[in-house]
Amino acid sequence: MANKNPSTSISPRAPEPPALSESAAGLLRELVAHLRQNRTQLREEWARRITRAELLTAMTEEEIFAEATAVYDNYVEALETGTFEALQAYSRRLSERIIPRGVETDEVVGIVLLLRDVLARSLFTKYQDNVDKLNRILDSYEPAANRIANTVAVGFVEERERIIRQQQEAIRELSTPVLQVRERLLILPIIGVMDPQRARQLTEQLLRAIRANRAKVVVIDVTGVAAMDSGVANHLVQTVEASRLLGATCIVTGLSPEIAQTLVTIGVDLSEMATVGDLQGGIEEAERLLADRSVLPAPREPGTDTSR
Amino acid sequence: MEVPILRQGQYLIASIQSALTDADLSHLREALIAQVGRSRCRGVIVDVTALDVMDSFAVRTLRDIAHMARLRGAETVIVGIQPDVAFAMVQLGLTLKGVATVLDLEEGLAFLNRRDEERLLETRPKRFGDRG
Amino acid sequence: MAGFSSGEQTVIAAAISEIARNILMYAKQGEVFLSLATNGDRQGVVVVAKDQGPGIADLERAMQYGYSTSHGVGAGLPGAKRLMDEFEVDTVVGQGTTITMKKWRRVI
């Protein structure tokens, strides 16, 4: 599915599955009527098979039965109308409820396949004396049933992905702490993989911290950065420039030989950036800068820091 | 909207209160440069705390003010650039190179005081900042 | 606005300011339209700036950073392009220019 946004993925005016011939529509109606008539029994059978297969173990039997009922009704409705919005919305809500409880993708796929089996078996039983009709009924049933299984599974996976993205976001926030070492001195240790979004977030956080702490010097330590491409390197340069606009001098430490080599090779201009080999050296340099300006609230060199 | 220019000792302080048109900015530049000469002041502070957007014209005007004031014998410092504004500026390539920038008015005054002291101590000719 | 962080909003505002200035400088008048858009799991803002000005004769040069036929600092169009995720210029000499630019953010 190219379009992942749940609110737009299947619009009410989406093309319907291929139009059924008159008799096929009749068969589908017959099928739906059968499922409605045997709702109680089939639903119970399904819930039993879920428990027996040890699926949804995180849920109580009552909960399983309640969800099974809702899925069953949505299932029949989707079969009848050929539209999947209600089922899709329901599976999204279901996923929201059960993912935090540790329900896994295979369980969700498992239960929809079980329902498919339970219903197919009831059809076998009902039409066992008329194989020809059974086949025609299955012709109507199978494509719709597959699409239903698909809808529920995809809904679940999408919800999981959304949660994972949310967690990644939270980890990002946590993984870029701006630390105040002493008055007017901040340290920003950057660890892990840098991507444009993280780089942007990091800069926004740093700039706010500079303002909040009235920092004059920032040591940006990139020892923990595995690799740096030109995009991230340019971003680093921008961060240094933006910090200067707020009156803070940046010292970059911990550029590995590999990264240094890459940056020079790809032609990133780091000439205006103060760099010191390691974090300790960077902090010493920062202390020196701050001491130089100890007389007054430490104004910085005007504009041209290249003189250093 | 006209920007009020206050005189504080040897310094002029222009405090931008709200978004400015290009004409307002040009007017500010002219007014400041005229006053620098008239009052023989040693420093200029332009406070941009109230600006939540700065485009190329605004940045160029600030840079021009700094360079012109320097030619008239006064040091300029821009104060109060907001974090978000600073980030947008550098993404636009507007880094105000060669122009002093500090956090706020208090830092700006301290910066100018310090420059004055240095000027008194130093005998060597004043070095011009790089053009940006 | 549309869930953008204040930093991103500032960036969008700066980009709009640059293209609006571009219109004022060359076409004297024009219009800027803002709308919201969705693309998969991304949401974004679409800015369309239209003028019936002279058009841009040498688009390639106009998009070079630091180039300007007027008295700007040359941030203009290339500056706005840097700030946005998508940037398109549709220009006909003597008829006018339409600039479409987009900024996306991922919906979580």
Side-chain angles (χ1 to χ4, degrees):
Chain A
M1 262 208 296
N3 195 336
K4 281 196 177 167
N5 194 318
S7 61
T8 59
S9 56
I10 296 178
S11 76
R13 272 163 277 101
E16 303 271 318
L20 300 163
S21 69
E22 198 49 46
S23 66
L27 287 172
L28 198 57
R29 266 200 301 278
E30 193 177 325
L31 167 65
V32 168
H34 167 71
L35 298 182
R36 288 243 160 86
Q37 270 159 27
N38 299 286
R39 177 172 179 263
T40 308
Q41 182 220 325
L42 291 172
R43 203 173 32 152
E44 277 166 4
E45 168 66 9
W46 182 36
R48 251 198 315 279
R49 301 243 341 232
I50 291 173
T51 316
R52 216 184 311 148
E54 294 186 359
L55 295 172
L56 305 182
T57 46
M59 296 164 74
T60 66
E61 252 170 69
E62 292 75 39
E63 284 173 321
I64 293 178
F65 190 72
E67 300 290 5
T69 302
V71 174
Y72 188 94
D73 292 343
N74 276 296
Y75 195 105
V76 175
E77 197 200 312
L79 274 176
E80 184 176 34
T81 60
T83 57
F84 294 79
E85 286 77 39
L87 181 67
Q88 202 175 21
Y90 173 78
S91 56
R92 201 161 53 231
R93 287 194 304 274
L94 173 68
S95 305
E96 273 172 29
R97 281 197 297 274
I98 63 181
I99 289 172
R101 305 184 52 177
V103 175
E104 297 292 337
T105 313
D106 62 326
E107 293 182 277
V108 171
V109 174
I111 65 165
V112 253
L113 292 180
L114 277 181
L115 177 58
R116 191 172 167 273
D117 295 346
V118 167
L119 300 188
R121 274 191 192 219
S122 85
L123 294 174
F124 292 149
T125 314
K126 183 172 163 71
Y127 297 106
Q128 58 188 331
D129 297 332
N130 188 346
V131 175
D132 191 43
K133 185 161 191 193
L134 173 63
N135 274 324
R136 278 183 286 130
I137 287 264
L138 287 177
D139 283 347
S140 307
Y141 170 70
E142 281 164 359
N146 288 346
R147 190 159 167 211
I148 290 168
N150 211 17
T151 303
V152 175
V154 167
F156 184 84
V157 170
E158 279 178 357
E159 177 63 18
R160 270 181 76 107
E161 282 173 356
R162 195 185 66 82
I163 289 172
I164 290 169
R165 277 203 301 276
Q166 223 167 25
Q167 288 168 344
Q168 278 175 338
E169 198 68 13
I171 291 169
R172 276 200 180 109
E173 300 265 348
L174 290 173
S175 63
T176 52
V178 182
L179 312 167
Q180 179 162 26
V181 180
R182 49 166 274 199
E183 218 184 321
R184 319 223 118 188
L185 172 57
L186 297 179
I187 292 190
L188 174 65
I190 306 178
I191 293 162
V193 179
M194 293 289 286
D195 58 37
Q197 202 194 347
R198 184 171 172 220
R200 179 183 55 72
Q201 205 167 46
L202 195 136
T203 305
E204 286 184 5
Q205 267 178 275
L206 174 64
L207 296 178
R208 289 199 187 110
I210 287 173
R211 196 177 163 82
N213 297 293
R214 305 178 63 81
K216 296 305 293 182
V217 183
V218 179
V219 178
I220 302 177
D221 182 61
V222 296
T223 311
V225 176
M228 209 184 270
D229 61 8
S230 60
V232 172
N234 282 325
H235 195 97
L236 191 60
V237 173
Q238 286 183 352
T239 304
V240 172
E241 285 170 342
S243 302
R244 187 193 80 83
L245 291 175
L246 301 189
T249 304
C250 289
I251 299 169
V252 178
T253 65
L255 279 167
S256 71
E258 294 78 23
I259 291 179
Q261 229 161 16
T262 319
L263 295 184
V264 172
T265 312
I266 58 183
V268 176
D269 182 11
L270 299 179
S271 58
E272 307 228 351
M273 214 159 75
T275 52
V276 174
D278 61 8
L279 180 57
Q280 191 185 345
I283 293 175
E284 282 163 13
E285 169 74 4
E287 298 275 3
R288 205 179 56 71
L289 281 176
L290 287 169
D292 265 2
R293 301 159 179 184
S294 57
V295 196
L296 285 162
R300 57 188 316 284
E301 285 292 311
T304 53
D305 266 4
T306 44
S307 56
R308 191 177 50 236
Chain B
M1 198 194 120
E2 203 158 312
V3 179
I5 299 174
L6 310 172
R7 199 189 158 115
Q8 162 111 18
Q10 291 213 297
Y11 308 137
L12 295 178
I13 302 172
S15 193
I16 298 174
Q17 311 285 335
S18 65
L20 296 181
T21 64
D22 289 3
D24 295 334
L25 279 163
S26 301
H27 183 259
L28 171 65
R29 182 190 62 214
E30 277 147 36
L32 269 176
I33 302 312
Q35 279 206 38
V36 166
R38 225 180 302 136
S39 56
R40 282 202 278 163
C41 74
R42 313 295 304 273
V44 174
I45 295 176
V46 183
D47 185 350
V48 298
T49 310
L51 293 184
D52 49 17
V53 176
M54 263 208 260
D55 69 1
S56 49
F57 187 84
V59 174
R60 190 174 73 107
T61 306
L62 292 178
R63 195 193 62 192
D64 289 353
I65 288 173
H67 289 166
M68 290 175 184
R70 192 173 289 147
L71 292 174
R72 305 271 272 160
E75 195 66 39
T76 299
V77 58
I78 312 296
V79 308
I81 298 176
Q82 297 292 333
D84 290 342
V85 173
F87 194 24
M89 281 169 67
V90 297
Q91 287 178 75
L92 261 174
L94 307 170
T95 57
L96 273 176
K97 212 179 271 186
V99 178
T101 49
V102 297
L103 198 66
D104 55 19
L105 195 55
E106 183 190 334
E107 294 274 337
L109 286 167
F111 169 83
L112 289 177
N113 282 328
R114 197 176 135 96
R115 294 301 283 173
D116 268 356
E117 280 172 21
E118 282 175 7
R119 257 209 283 219
L120 291 175
L121 295 173
E122 278 177 23
T123 46
R124 65 181 168 90
K126 191 161 73 73
R127 176 172 51 82
F128 282 86
D130 292 349
R131 287 182 38 82
Chain C
M1 178 191 69
F4 282 104
S5 73
S6 68
E8 290 167 314
Q9 291 186 30
T10 305
V11 159
I12 296 165
I16 294 173
S17 178
E18 290 301 322
I19 56 166
R21 172 175 310 290
N22 203 71
I23 292 177
L24 278 180
M25 234 184 291
Y26 296 102
K28 307 304 171 204
Q29 65 174 49
E31 292 169 300
V32 178
F33 304 94
L34 287 177
S35 57
L36 297 176
T38 307
N39 179 0
D41 58 357
R42 298 187 305 169
Q43 257 178 24
V45 61
V46 180
V47 181
V48 179
K50 273 190 184 138
D51 68 55
Q52 270 88 48
I56 304 168
D58 190 344
L59 187 58
E60 204 176 306
R61 262 181 90 194
M63 290 310 295
Q64 273 167 28
Y65 198 77
Y67 171 77
S68 171
T69 54
S70 187
H71 43 275
V73 290
L77 298 188
K81 186 180 178 182
R82 281 186 179 195
L83 295 176
M84 303 296 278
D85 296 324
E86 288 177 38
F87 192 90
E88 246 171 68
V89 184
D90 186 6
T91 184
V92 179
V93 172
Q95 289 186 24
T97 304
T98 300
I99 294 172
T100 306
M101 49 188 202
K102 298 175 189 170
K103 185 95 180 163
W104 296 108
R105 68 177 193 87
R106 238 180 19 214
V107 181
I108 298 163

